[in-house]
Amino acid sequence: MSTKRGFTTSILHADRLGKPEHGSLHKPIHTSVTYGHEDVQDLVDIFQNKKSGYAYSRQGNPTVTALEQKVTQMEKGMASIAFSTGMAAISATVMALIKGTDHIVASSFLFGNSRSIFQTFIDMGISIDFVDATDVENVRAALKDNTRMVFVETVANPATQIADLKNIGNLCEEKGIIYVVDNTMTSPYLFNPINVKASLVVNSLTKYIGGHGNALGGAVTNTGLFNWANYPNIFPGFKATVKPEALGMTQIRKKGLRDAGGTLSPEAAHSISVGAETLALRLDRACSNALALAKFFNDHPKVKKVFYPGIESHPQHALAGELFARYGGLMSIELDESLDCLAFLNKLKLVVKSSNLGDTRTLAIPVAQTIFFELGAERRAEMGIPESMIRLSVGIEDLDDLLEDFKTALND
């Protein structure tokens, strides 16, 4: 009998097969902040990276570890570190691995908060160039002798541009550069960045993996493809006690998680872990709803443009079909000039006006006035974000109910 099981089966039984306490089907919530040891040598060895274990919950907790193992399993990686949010995961990764003399190439279409923290890094002295990552040649042209990292997203939020993921991965492998792929918009159910040679994978666990809008979290996963032994920024003290393949993650956990303190709570870890069990079921429904809505908007005279990889007019439609299992649950629409986007949103009765995404409920937000307001009109235009854009995170409601809500709002 084959032991290879499907995505949902594997995740559903992951905790149980780890044999948690008292036959529990989920890893229990461990709220202890600190951990005692009968032999002080065990405590010493944990601090010196000579053995695994727990000393202080800022950098490790049994409930959080169970979630980390689940994320690693979903991403087909080697190890994961969980954080309090996806932004904490991004910030800690850059802080831990990049020095002020280094250079980063990043997608010019990064989500607003990601773009904001990268601007903060620029203000701190790190050199960062933003390029159109839909073409690998733009990335290649931006590389310098001191380029240490390339950072892209699978699908850009909110205009849904898709990075040239495979070719960028080949380029980073060739040059020995850390390749970070933010997989939040696709999730490990629709795509595994390890397949395009990503070094590290970022997920906002708040979004599709948690999926219910009830817990914040983030994670970074090591795919095992990058040679950390040759990376010049590794803290020398780690090299004596840490295996070469684990150096990068040890540095992120110690210098990024422990020192910066973006710790995921055990309660949130438990909620996200339970939510992850239905990731595939929720995304199948959300993707089906999103494709149907995209086709509806594409044919509606009061919708000027639809931003969704599932429609043939999308510039990367063919690439999305090649890379991803489905086209995702995120889309944006640009309304006709005759409609005011705020007034339109207020006419929606079922759809929730909210800033989150990846929820079970369909959420909508005016982009230029909220999540990308701080960037200013000029930079929004550079990123392909019109002033009347509305971002939609499509949920799992009955499709007919969603269609009726949008039809009424558009025709009212």
Side-chain angles (χ1 to χ4, degrees), residues 30-46:
H30 290 263
T31 58
S32 182
V33 170
T34 192
Y35 304 85
H37 299 269
E38 293 298 320
D39 186 340
V40 72
Q41 185 63 49
D42 291 336
L43 182 61
V44 170
D45 289 345
I46 290 169

Side-chain angles (χ1 to χ4, degrees), residues 13-21 24-27 66 69 73:
H13 293 274
D15 279 1
R16 180 182 66 85
L17 294 177
K19 302 187 184 305
E21 301 90 313
S24 173
L25 299 184
H26 294 108
K27 185 70 174 178
Q69 292 170 345
Q73 182 176 334

